C-alpha cells in the first residue's frame, strides 16, 4: 500500500471510534438524561444520523470545487472536535438543565455540530485514499476499500464496548456518566486528527476544480437540454448524445463525467434509501427489542445489575464485519473471479440488500413472543430502557438476536464497502467525492423515511411486530427497484464515450501506470 494510506486508515479508525462512541448511546442518553419519550428519542437520534449523512453533500461540493480533499478533511474535523467537546460538557448532569427536563434544543445542538463535522469529512476520506492509487491498480483499490471498512469497524468495535462501560460509572452524583463516556472518543479523535495531519507530505493531493462543481454540472446539463430542444433532427443526429450540445462551452470530458455521475445516481440513491431505512434502525428498534430481553447473556442472576447493555451487544455486528469483510475480499471474491463467476459490485450489493431486508423480517417475526415474555415478568414496557442489560428469568436471552445480526452484518459486508467503491470507480475523476457523498446521501434519505414513518406508525397504533413487517415490505420494494435499475446499468469502463475527447481521456486514465 502507498505510505499515505498508513496515515489515512488511523484517521478513519479514530473518527469512527468517535462517531460510534456517541451514536449508539444516543437513544438511551436522550431518554434518561433529557427525558424524551421512546418515540422522540428515536426521532432525534435518527435525525442525527440523517444529518450526518446529508452534510457529505456540502463537504464533497467544497472538496471537489474549492478546498480539495485535504483542507476539507482538516477544516471539518476541527468543527467535529468542537461538537464533541460540547456534547461532553453538556452531558454533565444539571449543567444545561435538570436531569429529565433538559431542553431538546440544547441537547441536540452539539449533535448538529458533530453531524456537520462528520458529514463534511465523510465523502473525502475514502476518496482521498482512493486517490493514492492509479486507475489501473484495481486490485489494490479493491483491497484498500475493504481494509478501510475494516478500520471503520475496528474503531466501532472498541468504542461500543468501552463507552457503555464508562456510562455505567457513577459521576456528578448520578447513576450514569455520559460525560465520562463521551470524553474518551473526544480524546481519540483529537489524536487521529493529529496523525492524519502529520502525513501531509506523503499524500497525492488532487487539486480542486476552482468552481462550484454541482452548480457547473447543473448549468451544463440545462444548457445542453436547451440547445437539444431547439435543434433540428439532423443536428441531434450529428451530436450523437444530447449532452454534446454543451461540449463546446464546457468541454467534452466534463460533460461525459456529468453523464457518468447522473448514471451512478440511478441505481444507488433512491433504491438504497429503503435499504438504509432498515439498517439505520439497528441502534434504535433492535435496542428497544434488546431492552425486553435477558441481558445476563454470560451468566448472572441479579435483576438490579446491568450486565451486557444493548449498545455493547451491538458490537456483535462489528465483530461479524471484521471477520466477514476480509473473508469476502481475500477468499470469496477471488474464488468467484478465478472460476469466471460474475459476482461484481452490482451483484454483491444486490445480495447484501436482500439479506438486510430478511434480517429485519426475522426481527419482526420474533417481536411478539419477546414482548409477551417481558410482560409476563411483570416489568413496565414503557420504561424498558431502565432494564437495559439486566437479568430477567422470564425473558428470552439476548442471544436470540444473533441470527438477525448475522444476516444484517453479512448484508452490510457485501453491500456497504462495495457501494463506496462503486460510487468512486464509476464516477469521473472530477466527481469522485461528490459521487461518494450521494452514496452517503442515500443513508440520510433512509433516516428521513424513518422520521416520517415512525410517528405515522405510532399514530396508527401498530405494534412492534406489524410495524417491522411494514418496514420489511417497504425495504423489499426498494430492493426490486435496485434490481431493475442495476439490470439496465452498464459499468463506466465498458460504456462507450459520448465524444472523442472524452474517449481519449478515458483511455489515458485507464492506461496510466505512474503518477
Amino acid at each position: 500500500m502507498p505510505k499515505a494510506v498508513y496515515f489515512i486508515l488511523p484517521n478513519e479508525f479514530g473518527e469512527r471510534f468517535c462517531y460510534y462512541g456517541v451514536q449508539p448511546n444516543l437513544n438511551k442518553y436522550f431518554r434518561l438524561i433529557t427525558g424524551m419519550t421512546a418515540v422522540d428519542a428515536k426521532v432525534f437520534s435518527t435525525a442525527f444520523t440523517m444529518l450526518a449523512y446529508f452534510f457529505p453533500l456540502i463537504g464533497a461540493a467544497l472538496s471537489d470545487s474549492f478546498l480539495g480533499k485535504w483542507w476539507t478533511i482538516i477544516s471539518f474535523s476541527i468543527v467535529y472536535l468542537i461538537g464533541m467537546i460540547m456534547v461532553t460538557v453538556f452531558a454533565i448532569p444539571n449543567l444545561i438543565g435538570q436531569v429529565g427536563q433538559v431542553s431538546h434544543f440544547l441537547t441536540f445542538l452539539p449533535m448538529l455540530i458533530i453531524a456537520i463535522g462528520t458529514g463534511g469529512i465523510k465523502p473525502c476520506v475514502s476518496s482521498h485514499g482512493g486517490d493514492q492509487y492509479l486507475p489501473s491498480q484495481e486490485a489494490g483499490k479493491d483491497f484498500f476499500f475493504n481494509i478501510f471498512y475494516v478500520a471503520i469497524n475496528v474503531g466501532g468495535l472498541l468504542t461500543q464496548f468501552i463507552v457503555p462501560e464508562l456510562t455505567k460509572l457513577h459521576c456528578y452524583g448520578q447513576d450514569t456518566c455520559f460525560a465520562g463516556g463521551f470524553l474518551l472518543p473526544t480524546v481519540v479523535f483529537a489524536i487521529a486528527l493529529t496523525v492524519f495531519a502529520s502525513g501531509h507530505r506523503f499524500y497525492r493531493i488532487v487539486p480542486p476544480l476552482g468552481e462550484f462543481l454541482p452548480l457547473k454540472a447543473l448549468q451544463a446539463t440545462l444548457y445542453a437540454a436547451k440547445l437539444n430542444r431547439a435543434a433540428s433532427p439532423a443536428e441531434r443526429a450529428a451530436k450523437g448524445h444530447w449532452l454534446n450540445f454543451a461540449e463546446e462551452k464546457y468541454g467534452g470530458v466534463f460533460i461525459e463525467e456529468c453523464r457518468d455521475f447522473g448514471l451512478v445516481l440511478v441505481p444507488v440513491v433512491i433504491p438504497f434509501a429503503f435499504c438504509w431505512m432498515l439498517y439505520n434502525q439497528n441502534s434504535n428498534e433492535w435496542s428497544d427489542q434488546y431492552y425486553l430481553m435477558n441481558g445476563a447473556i454470560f451468566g448472572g442472576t441479579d435483576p438490579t445489575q446491568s450486565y451486557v447493555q444493548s449498545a455493547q451487544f451491538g458490537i456483535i455486528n462489528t465483530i461479524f464485519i471484521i471477520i466477514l469483510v476480509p473473508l469476502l475480499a481475500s477468499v470469496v471474491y477471488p474464488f468467484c473471479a478465478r472460476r469466471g463467476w460474475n459476482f461484481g459490485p452490482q451483484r454483491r450489493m444486490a445480495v447484501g440488500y436482500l439479506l438486510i431486508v430478511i434480517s429485519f423480517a426475522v426481527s419482526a417475526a420474533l417481536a411478539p413472543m419477546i414482548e409477551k415474555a417481558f410482560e409476563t415478568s411483570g416489568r413496565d414496557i414503557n420504561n424498558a430502557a431502565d432494564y437495559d442489560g439486566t437479568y430477567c428469568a422470564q425473558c428470552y436471552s439476548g442471544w436470540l438476536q444473533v441470527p438477525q445480526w448475522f444476516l444484517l452484518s453479512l448484508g452490510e459486508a457485501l453491500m456497504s464497502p462495495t457501494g463506496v467503491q462503486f460510487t468512486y470507480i464509476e464516477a469521473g475523476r472530477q466527481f469522485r467525492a461528490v459521487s461518494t457523498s450521494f452514496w452517503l446521501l442515500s443513508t440520510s434519505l433512509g433516516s428521513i423515511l424513518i422520521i416520517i414513518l415512525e410517528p405515522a406508525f405510532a399514530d396508527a397504533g401498530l405494534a412492534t411486530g406489524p410495524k417491522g413487517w411494514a418496514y420489511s415490505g417497504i425495504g423489499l420494494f426498494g430492493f426490486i427497484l435496485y434490481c431493475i435499475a442495476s439490470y439496465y446499468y452498464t459499468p463506466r469502463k465498458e460504456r462507450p464515450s459520448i465524444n472523442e475527447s472524452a474517449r481519449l481521456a478515458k483511455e489515458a486514465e485507464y492506461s496510466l501506470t505512474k503518477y
Side-chain angles (χ1 to χ4, degrees):
M1 291 192 297
K3 288 182 181 179
V5 172
Y6 293 99
F7 294 88
I8 295 171
L9 292 176
N11 173 260
E12 186 64 15
F13 163 85
E15 191 277 326
R16 293 290 89 182
F17 185 99
C18 186
Y19 180 82
Y20 287 113
V22 174
Q23 193 268 343
N25 295 287
L26 283 183
N27 188 286
K28 190 173 181 181
Y29 171 65
F30 287 154
R31 292 176 70 170
L32 297 183
I33 302 301
T34 307
M36 293 183 185
T37 65
V39 172
D40 285 345
K42 183 174 182 179
V43 168
F44 271 87
S45 57
T46 302
F48 169 69
T49 304
M50 179 270 292
L51 290 171
Y53 286 90
F54 170 79
F55 283 111
L57 291 177
I58 308 299
L62 290 174
S63 170
D64 285 347
S65 304
F66 300 110
L67 296 178
K69 297 182 183 72
W70 155 258
W71 278 114
T72 302
I73 294 169
I74 293 295
S75 302
F76 279 92
S77 291
I78 293 171
V79 174
Y80 195 157
L81 188 58
I82 292 171
M84 284 302 304
I85 293 171
M86 288 179 64
V87 75
T88 302
V89 173
F90 284 13
I92 298 175
N94 302 312
L95 181 67
I96 60 172
Q98 186 176 348
V99 173
Q101 301 177 22
V102 180
S103 163
H104 291 185
F105 170 77
L106 289 178
T107 302
F108 196 73
L109 179 61
M111 310 317 303
L112 174 62
I113 296 173
I114 292 171
I116 293 172
T118 186
I121 68 176
K122 198 179 289 288
C124 301
V125 179
S126 60
S127 56
H128 181 54
D131 287 344
Q132 310 311 309
Y133 291 85
L134 297 164
S136 58
Q137 294 176 310
E138 294 183 9
K141 248 185 294 198
D142 191 42
F143 180 76
F144 165 74
F145 281 111
N146 281 284
I147 293 301
F148 184 85
Y149 205 72
V150 170
I152 290 174
N153 284 279
V154 170
L157 172 65
L158 294 176
T159 194
Q160 288 180 76
F161 177 77
I162 297 171
V163 171
E165 287 296 319
L166 294 176
T167 64
K168 289 195 290 186
L169 299 175
H170 294 192
C171 65
Y172 301 103
Q174 300 292 323
D175 294 335
T176 57
C177 192
F178 285 96
F182 295 154
L183 177 61
L184 178 62
T186 304
V187 173
V188 170
F189 181 66
I191 296 171
L193 175 57
T194 303
V195 170
F196 176 79
S198 66
H200 180 266
R201 66 191 181 96
F202 297 107
Y203 298 140
R204 175 183 176 269
I205 297 177
V206 177
L209 189 63
E211 51 190 326
F212 194 50
L213 190 61
L215 178 60
K216 182 181 178 181
L218 179 61
Q219 289 174 335
T221 303
L222 294 177
Y223 179 76
K226 178 182 177 181
L227 295 184
N228 178 64
R229 187 171 59 250
S232 65
E235 290 173 324
R236 291 173 185 168
K239 286 295 184 181
H241 193 284
W242 66 272
L243 277 172
N244 283 331
F245 280 98
E247 180 180 5
E248 183 176 344
K249 184 175 182 178
Y250 292 94
V253 174
F254 182 78
I255 63 167
E256 169 146 303
E257 292 195 359
C258 290
R259 188 274 306 259
D260 292 342
F261 173 61
L263 291 176
V264 169
L265 300 185
V266 175
V268 169
V269 176
I270 296 176
F272 271 94
F274 296 99
C275 180
W276 291 115
M277 175 197 69
L278 299 179
Y279 181 88
N280 289 346
Q281 296 189 69
N282 69 66
S283 61
N284 293 304
E285 197 69 31
W286 289 9
S287 289
D288 289 343
Q289 186 181 76
Y290 186 86
Y291 296 158
L292 310 179
M293 306 176 82
N294 180 5
I297 59 176
F298 295 110
T301 57
D302 185 355
T304 64
Q305 180 179 341
S306 180
Y307 292 95
V308 178
Q309 297 182 24
S310 59
Q312 292 174 307
F313 189 76
I315 68 173
I316 194 170
N317 168 240
T318 310
I319 293 172
F320 281 142
I321 289 294
I322 291 173
I323 295 170
L324 291 170
V325 169
L327 180 65
L328 290 169
S330 60
V331 178
V332 177
Y333 300 157
F335 177 83
C336 293
R338 285 195 301 269
R339 280 152 183 79
W341 300 343
N342 181 9
F343 196 50
Q346 291 168 261
R347 293 193 177 185
R348 298 176 201 172
M349 293 162 70
V351 174
Y353 196 148
L354 182 59
L355 288 171
I356 289 173
V357 173
I358 294 172
S359 73
F360 211 82
V362 170
S363 174
L366 294 176
M369 61 186 238
I370 291 173
E371 291 180 359
K372 184 177 180 180
F374 181 83
E375 291 170 348
T376 301
S377 70
R379 294 180 171 184
D380 183 4
I381 199 167
N382 295 315
N383 296 316
D386 294 337
Y387 304 107
D388 183 18
T390 60
Y391 171 75
C392 175
Q394 294 87 358
C395 301
Y396 285 97
S397 170
W399 289 117
L400 190 61
Q401 284 194 330
V402 170
Q404 68 200 51
W405 276 110
F406 176 76
L407 290 170
L408 180 90
S409 303
L410 180 56
E412 179 186 357
L414 286 162
M415 177 269 295
S416 192
T418 307
V420 174
Q421 177 186 358
F422 177 81
T423 50
Y424 178 87
I425 64 176
E426 290 297 306
R429 297 180 70 180
Q430 298 176 82
F431 282 83
R432 282 173 178 162
V434 172
S435 182
T436 302
S437 74
F438 272 83
W439 166 253
L440 300 171
L441 175 66
S442 65
T443 303
S444 179
L445 295 177
S447 296
I448 291 174
L449 288 173
I450 298 172
I451 293 171
I452 295 171
L453 293 172
E454 194 64 25
F457 287 155
D459 292 342
L462 284 184
T464 306
K467 182 176 70 172
W469 286 114
Y471 273 122
S472 300
I474 296 170
L476 186 61
F477 168 75
F479 170 74
I480 294 171
L481 286 182
Y482 170 73
C483 290
I484 295 171
S486 182
Y487 178 79
Y488 290 102
Y489 184 83
T490 302
R492 177 173 179 257
K493 194 173 183 179
E494 303 170 12
R495 190 183 305 140
S497 294
I498 61 176
N499 57 66
E500 184 63 13
S501 57
R503 184 188 68 80
L504 294 174
K506 185 185 289 187
E507 285 183 359
E509 177 185 345
Y510 283 106
S511 63
L512 193 62
T513 58
K514 184 179 181 180
Y515 282 125

